[in-house]
Amino acid sequence: MWVRRGLYRALWVAAIVLPAWVLLARVFFGAPLGYQFVAQIVLVPILFVVQAVAIALVSLRRDNRTRRAVSWIDAGLLTLTWLGQLGIGFFLVDSTSSRTAGSAFSALVGNDAVALSTALSAASIVVTIAAGAALLVASIWQSIRAARDGFRSTLAEMERVVQGGTPGSSPTSPGSFAADPEHTIRIAPRA
């Protein structure tokens, strides 16, 4: 439970920190900022908006708010999404010219690892997109399921009240509407 609560508390922090990591991670390791940085200035705000929508769907669900914890499905998909974004920031290759290219990974390991870094960056992008889309779908599905269950319990409670008078009482118990013919409503078809 502590993992799910920790993820719930980290939702909005991650929505800000992870896109910033994707944008600027290479700087922290001494890798070049170049042409890819220009594209990221446009793409990172989109990543932030999509992540904020997914996080809003997760955090605004009643069951998550009352428990102050995400569901296990949310926890798994959030973890995958966040790991993917960390991977993008660490492995994304940028170049300042045709001769100099690098990532945070290649800055640590060496420029011979640029091809591996490119492959790992592509894998991180795929994981982030797939897990993010799955998180959106799972959040919507869980919201619909929770609303349906709430609607069913409300209908069941209304049915109990109509048949039995008060919530939790049986139809024949003293004081129930069904036991009191004066308070019984009869609907007859028109002739």
Side-chain angles (χ1 to χ4, degrees), residues 38-63:
V38 175
Q40 283 183 291
I41 289 175
V42 174
L43 295 176
V44 166
I46 295 170
L47 175 65
F48 170 75
V49 168
V50 169
Q51 187 168 339
V53 167
I55 287 171
L57 286 172
V58 169
S59 65
L60 293 178
R61 272 200 327 267
R62 176 181 282 177
D63 56 338

Side-chain angles (χ1 to χ4, degrees), residues 18-27 33 36-37 40-41 44 89:
L18 288 173
W21 169 260
V22 169
L23 184 64
L24 299 172
R26 292 178 306 284
V27 173
L33 283 179
Q36 184 68 32
F37 183 72
Q40 283 183 291
I41 289 175
V44 166

Side-chain angles (χ1 to χ4, degrees), residues 172-189:
T172 58
S173 65
S176 69
F177 290 123
D180 186 5
E182 184 179 323
H183 291 99
T184 303
I185 299 172
R186 297 182 191 263
I187 301 174

Side-chain angles (χ1 to χ4, degrees), residues 87 90-93 102-106 112-123:
F90 191 67
F91 296 116
L92 190 65
V93 177
S103 65
F105 177 71
S106 65
D112 297 338
V114 170
L116 176 61
S117 187
T118 302
L120 292 172
S121 170

Side-chain angles (χ1 to χ4, degrees), residues 90-140:
F90 191 67
F91 296 116
L92 190 65
V93 177
D94 203 351
S95 64
T96 55
S97 69
S98 61
R99 285 178 269 140
T100 59
S103 65
F105 177 71
S106 65
L108 290 176
V109 176
N111 281 339
D112 297 338
V114 170
L116 176 61
S117 187
T118 302
L120 292 172
S121 170
S124 297
I125 290 169
V126 168
V127 165
T128 301
I129 292 171
L135 180 63
L136 284 170
V137 170
S139 295
I140 292 169

